[in-house]
Amino acid sequence: MPASAQWAGTWVSSFQVMNLGTDTANVVVEYYDENGNRIDPATHSYTIAVGSSLNIYQPSVPGLPEGFKGSAIVSADQPIAAIGSEQTFYSDGSIGNSQYLGFSAQTVGNKFYLPNVNKKFGGGQWSSRITIQNVTANPVTATVTFYNADATVRDTDTVNLRGYGSTTLTQINDSELPDGWLGAAIVEATGDIAVIVDVMSADGRLETYNGFTAGSTKMYLPTLLIGFGANQWNTSFQVFNVGNASAVVTMTYYTAGIATPAKVVTTTLPQYQSINRYQPAVDSDLGAPWIGSVVIESTQPIVAVGSQSSGAPGKRLASIYNGVASGATQAFLPTILRYFGGSNFVTSFQIMNVGSDYASVKVEYFAPGNPTPVMTVYYDGAPGHEPKIAPYTSVNRYQGNDTALGSGWQGSVRVTSDQPVVVLGSQVGLNRTGDAAGQYNGIVAAP
């Protein structure tokens, strides 16, 4: 896909809703166009069994007009979680694919921090776009302040949103940002909003992450890679100091399965400054192939995202995820697939133990409509089971190896642990060309 066609293609979306409650969930989905008008014919009700999930593909929603661009609000009488997916189809038959975590009443807000914003950055010519959703019935004004990597202000944009309206700011069209720019942004609004960031390369790779409503003095990134696997995965991560003073930032790396740190790096980060660490360049001493994780600690609140892309010749795969501030003893993954659909999607997920002791973990797989797990895997060190998970390390489960699920399987997963964990889901469409990879943060919650 030529650089001049960036953000081209035919775009579609879907989302997966998982019932986290103790009874059948009655769910209502409402759609709003960018001007905040509700599309009444597209409002529908659904039921979802305990532990189960439902996929809603927007092109198949009755009453939703072709060419629709807007947002959705999902309501239920049980606790739920949702994963959004975006796909764009290019004229050469290839696709771009990404995923992100839906927002709850607790994760919307009037201020968002965006650690990775760019315009034609690097060899991949990466450019971002920021989508802002007004989640209230009242008009909202939102101001976006763009920061250079050295913390100086580069540009400011202001937008007005009608009640339940939404808008997208595309950085490649912003003349105040120079080509090759990499920085961060802060979005401030007069009412509650939700914010996501899409990042796309000139050759059509697509990533999406959630904006952060707050920083933390500790962040966990469950997946770091150097030349890993057949796709030669490499990662980078971006750290943004959102505190009120200069921060001392310590990054402790762990090799998968080994509780002893592989390396420790310390740096100073002034307020509103951001740094990018590309593992093959700055962490080559870890060797290759390498898979592990990092714990980032700071004297000021920070936010961080991790990004991965394929280095194998001819591959155009990329994805991104949010760093996580804390874990919990229960976590959920709404989208789990094994050779599913015409795209032949298969998932994997990463479980990181962020506790101080070895974790005993139970992984339960649920099929749609069935509240009883169809498969359970244990990481508890018992005979015939997987070993416990060492502190600050992670394990990966690839559904291609979960043969008991069978082909064409779609469902969800619940993870229960005696130590706090964070989880990360990934998927790739094996029958698709282009960027058929996606990644999303799992939901962590107390049991």
Side-chain angles (χ1 to χ4, degrees), residues 287-299:
W290 182 83
I291 180 171
S293 53
V294 68
V295 180
I296 307 173
E297 297 174 281
S298 172
T299 57

Side-chain angles (χ1 to χ4, degrees), residues 164-241:
Y164 299 124
S166 57
T167 193
T168 299
L169 302 176
T170 304
Q171 278 65 75
I172 203 170
N173 296 330
D174 189 339
S175 60
E176 297 299 320
L177 303 178
D179 290 353
W181 185 80
L182 174 67
I186 297 176
V187 184
E188 297 176 277
T190 56
D192 281 346
I193 57 173
V195 181
I196 64 168
V197 180
D198 296 320
V199 188
M200 177 175 272
S201 66
D203 63 1
R205 287 171 285 171
L206 177 64
E207 307 175 333
T208 304
Y209 72 89
N210 293 56
F212 296 80
T213 54
S216 173
T217 56
K218 181 178 283 190
M219 299 221 81
Y220 303 99
L221 295 173
T223 302
L224 294 185
L225 306 162
I226 302 175
F228 185 78
N231 287 318
Q232 292 289 287
W233 290 104
N234 294 308
T235 56
S236 65
F237 60 88
Q238 187 99 352
V239 184
F240 182 28
N241 175 8

Side-chain angles (χ1 to χ4, degrees), residues 239-328:
V239 184
F240 182 28
N241 175 8
V242 300
N244 56 18
S246 184
V248 177
V249 179
T250 301
M251 295 158 278
T252 305
Y253 293 74
Y254 293 86
T255 301
I258 301 176
T260 303
K263 67 181 292 186
V264 179
V265 177
T266 300
T267 189
T268 299
L269 203 58
Q271 182 190 27
Y272 297 152
Q273 184 168 317
S274 57
I275 57 166
N276 182 274
R277 289 187 64 86
Y278 177 55
Q279 274 61 74
V282 299
D283 297 317
S284 59
D285 53 318
L286 294 171
W290 182 83
I291 180 171
S293 53
V294 68
V295 180
I296 307 173
E297 297 174 281
S298 172
T299 57
Q300 289 289 318
I302 55 168
V303 295
V305 291
S307 178
Q308 68 180 46
S309 61
S310 172
K315 294 291 186 179
R316 288 161 41 194
L317 303 172
S319 58
I320 198 169
Y321 65 94
N322 288 59
V324 183
S326 61

